[in-house]
């Protein structure tokens, strides 16, 4: 299981050191939650902070940017330039954003691309895009804030995605994000998740390395 601590839960006063602390504690990836105050009811940080995190970590660290923003087609190049390895956009922007073109453009720019689905959005919405993604992110909280409670009903989406992946012979990763810690990790794994995002349960754990090891 890949574990991706969310930088949203770190001590922002020393974000670079916090990124290194997570990697030293065994994090596989670092998850960077970008919020624009419109797609979600919060504002976090943008490409300049992502670039600063890139500069703070050793070469080869995998940076996973989760764009909770209205205009990913406009902003994704700035996150490519900031050195992100994965850029995930939201399926809820279908109609307003050409998702197929944006996902393809992210890949064309040399990044992996992901598509996220909110708890209230049916998983069927992402099925037409599976051939064009490296990852599907199943949100297990309503996005916007860390520290919320895990919504177990989304595990059914993970099972559906796993079945579709196998039926179509695809190899995208399935990521889950929100309210996940050592207690929830086993059911996520059982449903078919490959990567767990964890904010509060990692950065705010008494022993971060133990928390990450337990989820792995
Ligand atoms: C929610 C974010 C999550 C969040 C996870 O909008 O996408 O990545 O930071 O935080 P925890 O693990 O505290 O729920
Ligand atoms: Zn996230």
């Amino acid at each position: 299981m890949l574990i991706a601590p969310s930088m949203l839960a770190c001590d922002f006063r020393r974000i670079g050191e916090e990124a290194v602390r997570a990697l030293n504690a065994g994090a596989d990836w670092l998850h960077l939650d970008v919020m624009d105050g419109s797609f979600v009811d919060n504002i976090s940080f943008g490409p300049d902070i992502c670039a600063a995190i890139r500069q703070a970590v050793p070469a080869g660290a995998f940076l996973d940017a989760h764009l909770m923003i209205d205009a990913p087609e406009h902003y994704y190049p700035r996150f490519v330039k900031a050195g992100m390895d994965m850029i995930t956009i939201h399926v809820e922007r279908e109609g307003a954003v050409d998702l197929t073109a944006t996902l393809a453009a992210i890949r064309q720019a040399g990044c992996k691309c992901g598509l996220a689905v909110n708890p209230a959005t049916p998983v069927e919405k992402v099925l037409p895009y599976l051939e064009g993604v490296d990852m599907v992110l199943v949100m297990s909280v309503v996005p916007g804030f860390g520290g919320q409670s895990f919504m177990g009903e989304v595990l059914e989406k993970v099972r559906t995605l796993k079945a579709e992946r196998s039926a179509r012979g695809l190899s995208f990763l399935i990521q889950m994000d929100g309210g996940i810690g050592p207690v929830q990790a086993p059911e996520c794994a059982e449903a078919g998740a490959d990567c767990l995002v964890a904010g509060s349960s990692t950065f705010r754990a008494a022993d971060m390395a133990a928390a990450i090891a337990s989820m792995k």
Side-chain angles (χ1 to χ4, degrees):
M1 180 66 77
L2 296 169
I3 305 299
S6 167
M7 297 302 297
L8 197 61
C10 84
D11 182 345
F12 281 177
R13 290 171 299 182
R14 39 191 202 89
I15 196 163
E17 291 157 53
E18 288 283 81
V20 172
R21 179 166 78 92
L23 292 169
N24 288 341
D28 297 288
W29 296 2
L30 295 177
H31 183 82
L32 279 53
D33 285 305
V34 175
M35 304 178 182
D36 66 355
S38 177
F39 182 76
V40 291
D41 186 30
N42 197 5
I43 301 173
S44 58
F45 51 76
D48 290 351
I49 298 292
C50 291
I53 293 171
R54 167 53 72 201
Q55 286 167 20
V57 297
F62 191 97
L63 301 184
D64 169 34
H66 175 193
L67 304 190
M68 288 161 273
I69 65 176
D70 279 342
E73 79 287 9
H74 177 72
Y75 287 106
Y76 82 82
R78 303 192 203 184
F79 293 93
V80 173
K81 196 164 170 230
M84 301 299 100
D85 297 290
M86 171 83 76
I87 296 178
T88 296
I89 65 175
H90 266 265
V91 74
E92 290 77 19
R93 292 302 289 156
E94 188 182 62
V97 172
D98 185 339
L99 297 177
T100 303
T102 305
L103 291 163
I106 291 169
R107 268 190 179 166
Q108 188 63 34
C111 264
K112 294 190 184 303
C113 64
L115 190 61
V117 56
N118 281 342
T121 305
V123 72
E124 285 68 30
K125 283 291 195 183
V126 305
L127 301 184
Y129 300 98
L130 296 181
E131 273 77 11
V133 300
D134 299 298
M135 188 173 80
V136 176
L137 166 48
V138 175
M139 289 304 304
S140 41
V141 297
V142 176
F145 298 90
Q148 304 182 74
S149 296
F150 181 72
M151 298 169 73
E153 60 267 33
V154 305
L155 289 166
E156 198 50 41
K157 293 180 180 176
V158 175
R159 294 189 192 101
T160 301
L161 288 165
K162 190 183 176 186
E164 284 289 329
R165 179 172 65 187
S166 150
R168 300 191 203 179
L170 299 173
S171 57
F172 59 85
L173 294 172
I174 303 173
Q175 183 180 60
M176 295 186 71
D177 181 7
I180 298 171
V183 172
Q184 293 78 18
E187 49 187 324
C188 299
E190 184 272 327
D194 305 297
C195 178
L196 302 179
V197 175
S200 315
S201 70
T202 55
F203 278 104
R204 298 185 187 173
D207 184 342
M208 191 188 217
I212 291 174
S214 147
M215 281 189 271
K216 279 192 185 189

